[in-house]
Amino acid sequence: NSGENRGYLQAYDRTAGEFGELYLGAEEITRPIREGSLHVPPAAFHGEDSNWELSYDTPTLVNCSTGPTCRGVAPVDLPDGATVTRLVTYWYEHASDDDATAYLTREDPSGSYPPDNMAAITTTGVSASRQILSDDSIDNATVFHSDRAYSLRVSIPSSSCYFYGAKIEYTYTSVGP
């Protein structure tokens, strides 16, 4: 129909950090789906409470506490409205009996405890091996900053397991081609 109001609108995409065009059709605005990832390095973590201590053996995170398990947490800042598609973690284990775990969590900023686990990965207990482990079965995958805070938590049972970091993969709709 030649009478339809169609055209393009120039708009700024905060997530991509660039200007793009929105197609203005008769009934829809086309927004491409893009993929992104957020890398969480060992240096982003701190001890969850005063009873635990984390030490950095560059570029890894290891348990150096006298207790049985060391727990660390790192903030995760994903784009609002993004959909988390996969959590990938990087580990090295020296002993087969010490399994470490990473959790991608969300929680109510008002302090409800415990946080909801969106994804969880546990090392496989293989001695002297580098492990790249992933979880793509994400619960509550859509990010909403208005009522949730997000973090990555690790639980390292002993100094025989090293954590090299994590990658969070996600998709998001974007302004622009």
Side-chain angles (χ1 to χ4, degrees):
N1 185 343
S2 61
E4 292 179 10
N5 183 13
R6 294 181 181 257
Y8 288 90
L9 172 69
Q10 190 77 12
Y12 185 74
D13 181 345
R14 290 185 307 147
T15 305
E18 62 188 17
F19 279 93
E21 293 180 335
L22 281 177
Y23 173 71
L24 302 177
E27 298 177 14
E28 66 180 294
I29 297 177
T30 305
R31 293 189 178 125
I33 295 178
R34 295 189 179 182
E35 295 179 349
S37 63
L38 174 70
H39 296 268
V40 184
F45 288 82
H46 61 85
E48 267 193 358
D49 57 47
S50 60
N51 297 330
W52 304 103
E53 206 175 301
L54 297 176
S55 174
Y56 304 102
D57 180 14
T58 307
T60 64
L61 184 64
V62 296
N63 179 346
C64 68
S65 72
T66 57
T69 300
C70 184
R71 293 178 179 88
V73 60
V76 171
D77 188 19
L78 295 164
D80 196 43
T83 301
V84 178
T85 57
R86 178 176 294 178
L87 172 63
V88 181
T89 57
Y90 306 92
W91 306 88
Y92 185 85
E93 279 189 297
H94 288 287
S96 61
D97 59 344
D98 289 333
D99 291 340
T101 306
Y103 304 93
L104 178 61
T105 63
R106 68 181 197 145
E107 59 188 293
D108 181 345
S110 67
S112 70
Y113 193 80
D116 296 326
N117 289 337
M118 297 171 65
I121 295 174
T122 300
T123 58
T124 60
V126 177
S127 181
S129 71
R130 183 175 297 265
Q131 299 177 27
I132 301 172
L133 305 172
S134 64
D135 182 359
D136 58 3
S137 59
I138 310 299
D139 294 328
N140 302 303
T142 303
V143 175
F144 296 108
H145 286 294
S146 61
D147 63 352
R148 294 287 186 259
Y150 297 85
S151 60
L152 186 63
R153 298 171 185 272
V154 293
S155 178
I156 301 173
S158 73
S159 60
S160 67
C161 188
Y162 296 164
F163 177 69
Y164 285 87
K167 178 173 67 168
I168 302 166
E169 298 174 356
Y170 58 91
T171 59
Y172 62 101
T173 53
S174 174
V175 174

